[in-house]
Amino acid sequence: MRITVGADIVSIHRFQEFVHDINHPALKKIFTRDELDYCFSKGAVEPHLAARFAGKEAIIKALYSRDIQDVWYIDIEILNKRNGVPVARLKKDMYKNLKLEISLAHCEDKATAFVIILGDD
Ligand SMILES: CC(C)(COP(=O)(O)OP(=O)(O)OC[C@H]1O[C@@H](n2cnc3c(N)ncnc32)[C@H](O)[C@@H]1OP(=O)(O)O)[C@@H](O)C(=O)NCCC(=O)NCCS
């Protein structure tokens, strides 16, 4: 089985300007409604936005390694299990043969993500 990886790191302050408007058009281009609901349910919104953005970039990198270049930020959704573990998936019917594994982390000023994609193209 083929494995590709992706990683990304993002400055959290990039998302500061969006934290008061869940309906900001720039956010809606990148994040799904459920992702925005999750991030805006948190005391500090921007680390969660930044971590998801890093996750989407990392997934796009891991897909590029397979020459897949038609997946956009909004085609990716990163939500959490009840225990907090993040789960990433592509929009319905996109590359159903691929399995995504993701880990996110954030500190005071940076958010980072690491992704593994498994499956044969
Ligand atoms: C879960 C835990 C490891 C997260 O570590 P942390 O340094 O606080 O979190 P970070 O800021 O680095 O990362 C946060 C991200 O981790 C992810 N995360 C949260 N809970 C998680 C879990 N249980 N497993 C894996 N990832 C988790 C989420 O994606 C979260 O970001 P998000 O809310 O934006 O999606 C930590 O809170 C914890 O529970 N530590 C105690 C572990 C322990 O003692 N276990 C022994 C049990 S007997």
Side-chain angles (χ1 to χ4, degrees):
M1 179 188 291
R2 188 161 180 216
I3 297 175
T4 57
V5 300
D8 197 53
I9 185 164
V10 171
S11 290
I12 290 173
H13 77 81
R14 285 176 60 185
F15 290 88
Q16 186 64 49
E17 66 180 284
F18 304 118
V19 301
H20 300 299
D21 183 6
I22 193 172
N23 291 312
H24 195 293
L27 292 182
K28 287 165 78 173
K29 275 190 189 163
I30 298 170
F31 301 103
T32 68
R33 173 50 54 181
D34 285 346
E35 289 177 321
L36 290 172
D37 285 346
Y38 175 79
C39 295
F40 278 78
S41 74
K42 301 292 183 180
V45 174
E46 60 272 38
H48 302 280
L49 291 173
R52 262 151 205 76
F53 187 74
K56 288 169 189 249
E57 295 260 62
I59 289 167
I60 287 167
K61 289 177 185 177
L63 292 171
Y64 265 53
S65 297
R66 296 168 178 265
D67 290 326
I68 294 174
Q69 301 188 11
D70 61 345
V71 174
W72 302 95
Y73 299 124
I74 196 67
D75 298 327
I76 300 166
E77 184 168 65
I78 304 169
L79 297 173
N80 300 70
K81 293 187 195 173
R82 201 182 289 263
N83 62 3
V85 174
V87 178
R89 66 175 186 89
L90 301 181
K91 201 164 71 178
K92 196 165 166 267
D93 295 335
M94 284 188 103
Y95 303 103
K96 287 198 303 202
N97 51 322
L98 299 181
K99 182 164 170 44
L100 279 54
E101 298 287 350
I102 189 165
S103 184
L104 307 178
H106 30 83
C107 63
E108 202 176 318
D109 58 340
K110 298 276 194 297
T112 185
F114 179 69
V115 166
I116 296 176
I117 299 182
L118 305 110
D120 294 318
D121 298 341

